[in-house]
Amino acid sequence: MIVGAGFTGLWTAYYLAKADPGLRVVVVEAETAGFGASGRNGGWCSALFPASGRKLAALAGREGAVGMLRGMEGAVDEVGLVAAAEGIECDFHKGGTVVLARSKAQVERARGEVAESREWGTGVEFLGADEVAGKVNATKVLGATFTPHCAVIHPGKLVRGLAAAVERLGVTIYQGTRVTRIERGRAVTDRGVVRADVVVRATEGFTPGLVNERRTVAPVYSLVVATEPLSAATWERIGLADRPTFSDHRHLIIYGQRTADGRLVFGGRGAPYHFGSRVRPEYDNEPRVFGKLQATLRELFDLEDVQFTHAWGGALGVPRDWCASVGLRDGVAWAGGYVGDGVSTTNLAGRTLTDLILNRDTQLTRLPWVDHRSRRWEPEPFRWLGINAGLRAMTLADAEERLTGRDSRIARLMAPLLGH
């Protein structure tokens, strides 16, 4: 039994059903398939992992860290292969990622990322301003980093297509059935108790709603806006012809893509964490943050007359040590804590959970995130104070760099708390 019909739950169901068609696999979902972050993210299918290579090496040595990073790169391609094999039209296109450097401090950070990439063999390269212009034309660009290990997707199309694929394989998805507690051999729902040999927790940002899981991950909101379809002349000026995802090296995370239908989709952090790890529909709507995202995108590409037609958001799951994990103990399996990098990570999680559930000893089951346990978040009000202070600190760090022209001291102080 799998609790949660987002990417983690659906990928797990998909690979279990493919590996052993005789298994009875059911997925239980409180809302509809893809209701959470899986269906409303910014459409990056990337090799990003929330914990750094150095942190992974501290967990399992250099070989384990390299294996994890290679596994993430492979997951990007695997998503595309499955989408093609199952006829899922999700606008998958692998154009890489351009992360712009728009100040001297950001250039230094970009060069540091390239140096770290050489250490782990992840293929990040530095681009000069002229080279960047061949991929994207933004304002104030001094350079950029580029990695080929990222694709764009339409998340709603992918998650709905994956749900249809698992049902074709014989998996049953029970939507509108809320699980309140997971225990060995059973899950308690609002409609009764479901029993199974293995219960998989695949609830990500909604995990705190389960009994005894309030402090497992913190649900932090990320919000997204989308423009109207842009004219051919505007795209000629902006670039993004190969549809690379884009961001810049500021501290408060932003992310964007050019969609298959010619829009700019652009998201970022900045919405508050809500006391008690509450997740509510009204928290998806933060007009102040939507306005800042629109202003940032206008400034980034000098877009004065463009209209914005859509805005949405939702909660992602952040573990205390910013390290995603997957595992199986005493009949209860789990995966999550992706910190917003879940589109491809969930695929790796689904394949790994399949091997664990089927008791296979594979390269996947020996990766360093397997059976990793992050410590629990602090109780309230300390959790609320700490997370919101961290979000505020990233905004202040960017302001500090604009004033000083140097790498932020605030950001350096915060780095150990952010998985670095």
Side-chain angles (χ1 to χ4, degrees), residues 33 63 78 98 124 148 245 255 258 266 275 315 330 332-333 341 344 355 377 388:
E63 183 177 350
E78 176 70 4
V98 180
V124 178
T245 57
Y255 50 89
R258 174 180 178 170
F266 187 70
F275 193 89
D330 298 325
V332 176
D341 295 322
S344 54
D355 286 348
W377 279 94
N388 284 319

Side-chain angles (χ1 to χ4, degrees), residues 212-398:
N212 298 325
E213 302 288 355
R214 176 73 68 182
R215 292 161 55 193
T216 300
V217 297
V220 174
Y221 276 74
S222 195
L223 303 184
V224 186
V225 296
T227 70
E228 62 187 345
L230 305 184
S231 67
T234 302
W235 282 121
E236 181 70 22
R237 179 170 60 83
I238 293 174
L240 296 173
D242 195 36
R243 297 181 61 207
T245 57
F246 64 89
S247 180
D248 72 12
H249 282 277
R250 72 185 68 197
H251 295 288
L252 190 67
I253 293 172
I254 60 171
Y255 50 89
Q257 68 147 302
R258 174 180 178 170
T259 67
D261 65 347
R263 302 173 188 267
L264 279 169
V265 166
F266 187 70
R269 309 289 164 81
Y273 161 81
H274 298 279
F275 193 89
S277 293
R278 291 192 296 266
V279 177
R280 295 178 178 171
E282 58 265 33
Y283 298 158
D284 299 348
N285 183 26
E286 287 280 350
R288 176 186 61 84
V289 179
F290 289 145
K292 287 187 175 181
L293 289 171
Q294 292 174 8
T296 299
L297 188 59
R298 290 185 191 277
E299 186 274 334
L300 191 63
F301 292 119
D302 193 18
L303 298 171
E304 289 301 323
D305 299 326
V306 168
Q307 299 301 308
F308 289 84
T309 58
H310 297 77
W312 65 92
L316 51 90
V318 182
R320 184 61 181 84
D321 64 354
W322 286 58
C323 185
S325 64
V326 58
L328 171 62
R329 293 185 186 178
D330 298 325
V332 176
W334 76 91
Y338 308 119
V339 198
D341 295 322
V343 175
S344 54
T345 317
T346 52
N347 176 276
L348 185 62
R351 287 182 282 133
T352 305
L353 284 172
T354 295
D355 286 348
L356 290 171
I357 292 167
L358 299 179
N359 199 28
R360 296 169 169 173
D361 181 13
T362 67
Q363 289 184 336
L364 295 181
T365 63
R366 295 191 292 272
L367 291 176
W369 70 331
V370 174
D371 286 334
H372 172 69
R373 289 281 195 178
S374 303
R375 68 183 179 91
R376 291 164 66 82
W377 279 94
E378 290 78 3
E380 299 290 19
F382 303 106
R383 186 162 73 250
W384 181 86
L385 290 169
I387 294 172
N388 284 319
L391 291 169
R392 180 62 176 161
M394 293 300 97
T395 301
L396 292 174
D398 289 324

Side-chain angles (χ1 to χ4, degrees), residues 394-404:
M394 293 300 97
T395 301
L396 292 174
D398 289 324
E400 177 192 354
E401 290 189 352
R402 287 194 295 270
L403 288 172
T404 66

Side-chain angles (χ1 to χ4, degrees), residues 19 49 72 92 99 112 255-256 263 267 270-271 305 383 393 413 417:
F49 190 78
M72 287 299 305
F92 182 97
V99 184
Y255 50 89
R263 302 173 188 267
D305 299 326
R383 186 162 73 250
L413 289 172
L417 303 177

